Amino acid sequence: MTRIEGESAQAKGADGARRAKRWLESTTRVNAQWVNPDPPAVSKLRFAWPHGGQNFSFDLGGLLRYGEYDGQMFFAESKNYAKPSDLADHYSQFLAQCYVAYLDKPGMCDNFMWLAWSPHSITKWPELMTAEYVREHVIEHRVRVFGVKEKDKAEAMIDPDALSAVASRLWLIVLSEKQENLVISKEHRGVIEDYEARKGD
C-alpha cells in the first residue's frame, strides 16, 4: 500500500468512526464519548496483544443509557466498506481483540459492537455471534493471543468462560446511508434529553 493509499484508508476509517458515533447517538441510548483518533480517546480504546509487543485500538467507545443497558460500557469497531471485501478477515481479528480486551478489563467490556456498511459471511450469519465462532477466530490469531503456533496448544489454553462472555456481549449492526438519515432529529433528541434530565429533579 502506498503512502497516499494508506492516508486515504485512514481518512475513510476516521469518517466511518464519526458516522458510527453519529448514528449510535441518534438512538438517544448511547454516549459515544471516545472516538479514535481524538487524543483523549486513544488511551481509553487501546489494548495490548499478550504476545508480540503490539497494541490494537477499537474505533470508539462509551456508555449506554437508559433501560436495561443503562450505565454499561461498550467498545466498537466501524468498517466503512461499501462491499464485503475483506470484512470477514477484519471481523476475525475483531473477535480475537474482544477476547483479549475482556480478559484484560472485564469490568469495562459490557458490550462489543461491530458496525459496518456492508454485511459479510452471509452463509455463516447465524454463527457469527456464537461462542464456537469466537473460539475459532481466537485460535486463528493464537500467536498474538497465546504466543504459540501449534493449534492444539492454543486450544488447551483458551478460556471457555471468556468465550461465552464475549459472545453474549457482541452486537452486529449493518448500516446504510439512507438508514443514517432516517433517525430522530437533533431537535427531538433535545426534547428527550431534557425530559430525562428533569426526571432526576
Side-chain angles (χ1 to χ4, degrees):
M1 180 182 292
T2 66
R3 179 179 61 82
I4 293 175
E5 288 173 332
E7 290 175 352
S8 176
Q10 189 174 22
K12 189 173 182 180
D15 179 60
R18 286 191 294 269
R19 288 166 64 186
K21 169 184 169 67
R22 188 163 56 243
W23 184 83
L24 284 168
E25 291 188 337
S26 75
T27 68
T28 73
R29 300 289 302 280
V30 177
N31 181 10
Q33 65 261 50
W34 310 324
V35 182
N36 246 328
D38 295 343
V42 172
S43 63
K44 303 286 195 308
L45 300 170
R46 182 190 294 132
F47 290 84
W49 289 106
H51 300 274
Q54 295 179 326
N55 296 323
F56 65 85
S57 296
F58 293 102
D59 288 330
L60 60 160
L63 291 172
L64 305 185
R65 306 192 296 180
Y66 317 135
E68 68 273 32
Y69 298 113
D70 190 47
Q72 290 189 13
M73 298 183 67
F74 77 93
F75 292 104
E77 191 74 7
S78 66
K79 294 298 176 187
N80 188 9
Y81 287 32
K83 297 180 180 179
S85 189
D86 56 352
L87 279 178
D89 293 335
H90 286 292
Y91 186 68
S92 174
Q93 179 169 284
F94 170 72
L95 294 178
Q97 291 171 340
C98 293
Y99 178 86
V100 169
Y102 176 79
L103 286 178
D104 185 32
K105 298 176 181 175
M108 295 178 64
C109 297
D110 299 314
N111 300 276
F112 296 110
M113 297 182 179
W114 171 268
L115 299 99
W117 279 259
S118 173
H120 70 278
S121 307
I122 297 300
T123 59
K124 298 181 178 179
W125 193 260
E127 305 167 28
L128 299 186
M129 295 192 294
T130 64
E132 187 54 40
Y133 200 81
V134 177
R135 176 190 181 90
E136 176 185 341
H137 292 279
V138 169
I139 293 173
E140 179 73 19
H141 297 272
R142 57 189 175 273
V143 173
R144 288 189 289 184
V145 177
F146 302 113
V148 299
K149 293 182 179 180
E150 298 82 2
K151 187 175 180 181
D152 58 338
K153 287 184 178 179
E155 288 174 341
M157 297 168 72
I158 206 159
D159 183 335
D161 292 333
L163 293 177
S164 297
V166 169
S168 70
R169 288 160 169 76
L170 289 171
W171 299 57
L172 282 182
I173 302 171
V174 179
L175 299 172
S176 69
E177 290 187 8
K178 287 185 177 180
Q179 184 182 355
E180 286 182 74
N181 293 322
L182 192 63
V183 295
I184 191 170
S185 68
K186 289 183 179 180
E187 292 78 12
H188 285 110
R189 275 178 58 188
V191 172
I192 292 172
E193 289 168 359
D194 183 62
Y195 167 77
E196 291 293 340
R198 289 175 183 274
K199 283 199 324 187
D201 293 345

